[in-house]
Amino acid sequence: MKQALVVGGTGMLASLTPWLVEHEYWVSVIGRSSNKLFRVMNQVANRSHYVTPLVLDYHDNAKVHKWIQHIQLMQGPIDLVVSWIHEPKDPVLLAIGEEITAYRHDLWRLIDIISSAKQDTVSHIQLPPTCRVQRVVLGYQKTSQGPRWLTHEEIVAGVVRAIEHSQQPVVPVGDIALPRPDNIQ
């Protein structure tokens, strides 16, 4: 079974975990809210043995190192990381990269979810050469009533598209040239 790590995926990405399980991933989910993790686990109730929920502040690098090491010792090397991390995220991604490469010496993937408003400020941290980075850039949707923010389903569909199209370095979701915030419903 393939191994996936979802970091920050307990809110808007909650339905990604059931999709990953259905596509034969063993999923470890790191979230900061036990209530949101509980909701994720309810979505996979009949296959919850394929999900490892971790209530963890992903900005605590020592704990991130420890838990990713533990996950890989128990379940095997991680193949895919889906990350929706609030700033500062570079130290978190570096910690994840260090631990994965300690157990995996071949190619693995990182899908980094960012807002289109921040796409010009994306850092260029030096991840291990065995890490293929993809970015999912979130924008907005145009409607007849004007622009609106993306729904959870639209965001997850964009992440799924990135997973399914591993050679695509950037996957835009919605229109990525954002209007002024006062115009969004």
Side-chain angles (χ1 to χ4, degrees):
M1 228 177 166
K2 299 172 281 190
Q3 304 294 326
L5 173 66
V6 179
V7 185
T10 58
M12 293 181 127
L13 289 180
S15 64
L16 179 63
T17 297
W19 185 91
L20 288 165
V21 169
E22 288 173 19
H23 288 82
E24 300 183 1
Y25 281 89
W26 185 294
V27 185
S28 299
V29 183
I30 295 177
R32 297 184 290 179
S33 164
S34 58
N35 289 336
K36 289 180 180 178
L37 273 170
F38 182 75
R39 280 185 254 150
V40 168
M41 294 305 292
N42 279 339
Q43 290 185 38
V44 292
N46 60 337
R47 298 185 77 191
S48 62
H49 53 285
Y50 292 114
V51 180
T52 303
L54 299 166
V55 178
L56 176 66
D57 178 1
Y58 49 71
H59 288 294
D60 185 335
N61 280 349
K63 287 183 180 177
V64 167
H65 274 282
K66 174 185 159 194
W67 280 106
I68 292 176
Q69 179 183 47
H70 179 76
I71 289 166
Q72 293 185 115
L73 283 170
M74 300 305 292
Q75 298 165 193
I78 294 171
D79 301 289
L80 171 68
V81 176
V82 178
S83 161
W84 195 346
I85 301 174
H86 299 287
E87 296 294 339
K89 68 173 155 182
D90 290 0
V92 182
L93 294 177
L94 286 171
I96 291 169
E98 288 171 2
E99 283 305 324
I100 291 175
T101 55
Y103 292 86
R104 164 166 236 111
H105 303 291
D106 58 347
L107 190 64
W108 59 280
R109 292 170 57 200
L110 165 66
I111 297 176
D112 185 24
I113 303 166
I114 63 170
S115 161
S116 61
K118 297 196 182 247
Q119 68 181 340
D120 294 334
T121 62
V122 170
S123 72
H124 299 283
I125 59 171
Q126 198 64 29
L127 289 167
T130 56
C131 177
R132 178 182 299 143
V133 178
Q134 289 177 276
R135 298 232 186 310
V136 172
V137 181
L138 304 178
Y140 69 100
Q141 287 292 354
K142 292 179 184 175
T143 69
S144 58
Q145 289 83 29
R148 66 161 174 79
W149 294 118
L150 297 169
T151 64
H152 297 192
E153 294 79 18
E154 291 165 338
I155 293 168
V156 170
V159 174
V160 167
R161 200 166 57 247
I163 293 169
E164 292 175 335
H165 298 96
S166 63
Q167 300 303 317
Q168 191 173 353
V170 177
V171 176
V173 181
D175 290 313
I176 59 172
L178 285 175
R180 291 187 10 221
D182 56 333
N183 292 338
I184 295 182
Q185 300 176 353

